[in-house]
Amino acid sequence: MPIPKKYLPLIVAGVLGLVATFLINSYLKQQAEEAKQRAVISQKSLTTVVVAKQDIPAGAPITENMLKEETVSKSIVQPRAATSMDRVVGRASLAPIAKGEQVLLNKIAISGQEVSLSSKIPRGKRAITVSIDNISSVGGMIRPGDHVDIMGMVPLPVMTTEGKQVNQMTNMPLFQDVLVLAVGQDFSAIPATKKEGPVSPAITFALTPQEANIIAFVQEQGRIRLILRSPEDTQIQPATPASWDTVLRTVMPQAFIEQPKDQQSLPLSTKKVEIYRGTQKEVRALE
């Protein structure tokens, strides 16, 4: 029996509805599957790290309320970052840890155990102790963790115009931006208690083997003086040795202005001697 024409639109609408329902279900299943795959991929690229909830000073025991765990992308995880609070809580910080900073395992030590000096020496450096007096160490105010420039006051041999060799005291810039590891037996950046009495003259630096050899030699020949640097200043600036000639040329440059050639009465081949009277310079020919 043929279907009446008045029912054909209903039948077509029903078929189209079934097709639409099938297509929608297929699309939703596809989207759910893709979302699941994206979640799996995202989960593989994430990891948990331990982050400081507050500023943690050097030498402080680390408690659970100082820390929190955060899920971050593996691409921003720092080397040796702690991934569990169990590995951090109950230990002590070797260096200051800023709020929001990932807690690194090389910045913490076992709580109650004294941190050794060797653990604070940077890779490739050596610890060398130099005897420095109170004035030369910026009034004894240098602390472990500071950075300094090292100067050496040594006698350098120079030749006089008469062909004799004499020693002239010269202040030589040796090394810049040097890390202070310890002052005396104290290698903590934050002292536990204020110490009374004179500051220890022994200061330990982190230097390369060759730099350690040089500073040991200079200490035997003269004196060492330190210049304290700002924590924000890491720039290495050129510096030349300082002697009386350097001082006079700096503070009295007008005394060293060369005369015009037409006013020079001495031939170039004539041997000359320089005579200083205060800040005045006089050149005389040797007969």
Side-chain angles (χ1 to χ4, degrees), residues 85-154:
M85 292 209 305
D86 295 338
R87 301 191 64 184
V88 180
V89 175
R91 303 177 72 177
S93 58
L94 291 174
I97 303 175
K99 180 180 178 180
E101 181 182 350
Q102 296 180 17
V103 180
L104 308 183
L105 295 177
N106 59 340
K107 280 192 173 184
I108 57 179
I110 299 176
S111 180
Q113 179 181 0
E114 184 180 6
V115 181
S116 65
L117 177 61
S118 61
S119 66
K120 303 190 69 175
I121 303 175
R123 184 182 298 273
K125 298 295 183 70
R126 304 292 188 269
I128 179 170
T129 301
V130 178
S131 179
I132 307 288
D133 59 59
N134 191 54
I135 299 300
S136 298
S137 61
V138 195
M141 293 183 289
I142 291 179
R143 295 292 309 153
D146 287 339
H147 285 72
V148 298
D149 294 345
I150 303 179
M151 314 291 291
M153 178 66 74
V154 294

Side-chain angles (χ1 to χ4, degrees), residues 152-224:
M153 178 66 74
V154 294
L156 290 184
V158 295
M159 297 297 296
T160 66
T161 55
E162 299 176 355
K164 296 181 180 180
Q165 180 173 298
V166 296
N167 290 332
Q168 181 181 25
M169 294 303 297
T170 304
N171 196 39
M172 298 184 60
L174 298 178
F175 311 112
Q176 297 186 32
D177 198 24
V178 176
L179 172 64
V180 176
L181 293 175
V183 178
Q185 296 184 348
D186 181 13
F187 47 84
S188 173
I190 303 178
T193 58
K194 184 177 180 180
K195 297 181 180 181
E196 302 294 338
V199 179
S200 172
I203 297 184
T204 303
F205 304 105
L207 297 171
T208 65
Q210 180 62 19
E211 292 170 344
N213 287 338
I214 293 174
I215 199 172
F217 174 79
V218 172
Q219 185 183 22
E220 293 296 325
Q221 305 300 318
R223 296 172 54 195
I224 300 295

Side-chain angles (χ1 to χ4, degrees), residues 15 21-22 32 47 50 74 92 101 130-131 136 200 247 274 286:
V15 172
T21 301
F22 174 78
T47 188
V50 179
K74 291 182 179 179
E101 181 182 350
V130 178
S131 179
S136 298
S200 172
V247 173
E274 296 178 354
L286 294 178

Side-chain angles (χ1 to χ4, degrees), residues 208-258:
T208 65
Q210 180 62 19
E211 292 170 344
N213 287 338
I214 293 174
I215 199 172
F217 174 79
V218 172
Q219 185 183 22
E220 293 296 325
Q221 305 300 318
R223 296 172 54 195
I224 300 295
R225 184 176 291 271
L226 306 181
I227 302 175
L228 185 62
R229 299 175 65 101
S230 166
E232 300 178 356
D233 182 13
T234 59
Q235 184 179 5
I236 304 299
Q237 299 184 0
T240 58
S243 61
W244 277 118
D245 183 67
T246 311
V247 173
L248 292 175
R249 289 181 180 274
T250 302
V251 300
M252 298 289 293
Q254 64 275 13
F256 294 86
I257 299 177
E258 295 184 0

